Amino acid sequence: MSAININKNNLQNEVVNSDKPVLLDFWAPWCGLCRMVVLIVEEIAKERSDIKVGKVNVDEQNELAMEYRVASIPTLLLFKDGKLEKTSVGFKPKAAILVELGI
């Protein structure tokens, strides 16, 4: 499965009400490190059916970025039972992301 585009209209259904943990990637098209992280995020989405993976374009969804206090991108947020559990900021290799977020 590939990552889902998350916006303020589908956040409740796709993230808050999800029965699986959700990994959200906050990114922007002009961000070079974000383009590197998105490859990792897409890999995780394809490999892991036990988690839902989503992407939030901060240029288009500034309200969501502010709501979750995303001050730097790329930022990865892990939600469990609709609540923010863990955060990873900046580029890291896939193994480091998995360990840091506990997934």
Side-chain angles (χ1 to χ4, degrees):
M1 184 179 225
S2 61
I4 303 164
N5 286 316
I6 301 296
N7 57 55
K8 63 183 177 185
N9 297 324
N10 68 0
L11 178 80
Q12 184 74 31
N13 188 48
E14 296 291 349
V15 179
V16 177
N17 296 337
S18 177
D19 57 347
K20 297 179 181 180
V22 181
L23 175 64
L24 282 188
D25 174 20
F26 283 78
W27 69 284
W30 47 263
C31 168
L33 291 177
C34 296
R35 288 194 296 262
M36 293 169 61
V37 169
V38 78
L39 298 174
I40 295 169
V41 167
E42 288 290 349
E43 236 179 75
I44 293 169
K46 287 183 176 96
E47 295 171 356
R48 301 283 301 269
S49 61
D50 60 324
I51 61 173
K52 187 182 287 189
V53 179
K55 300 184 293 188
V56 179
N57 181 330
V58 297
D59 288 342
E60 296 172 357
Q61 299 298 319
N62 195 12
E63 289 176 39
L64 289 181
M66 290 188 324
E67 180 179 342
Y68 291 105
R69 295 184 172 99
V70 173
S72 179
I73 53 173
T75 291
L76 299 175
L77 302 181
L78 180 68
F79 291 82
K80 290 185 180 173
D81 299 318
K83 294 181 175 36
L84 178 60
E85 290 281 320
K86 297 186 180 177
T87 302
S88 175
V89 179
F91 175 79
K92 296 174 182 80
K94 180 179 170 184
I97 290 170
L98 296 174
V99 168
E100 185 171 356
L101 297 176
I103 54 175

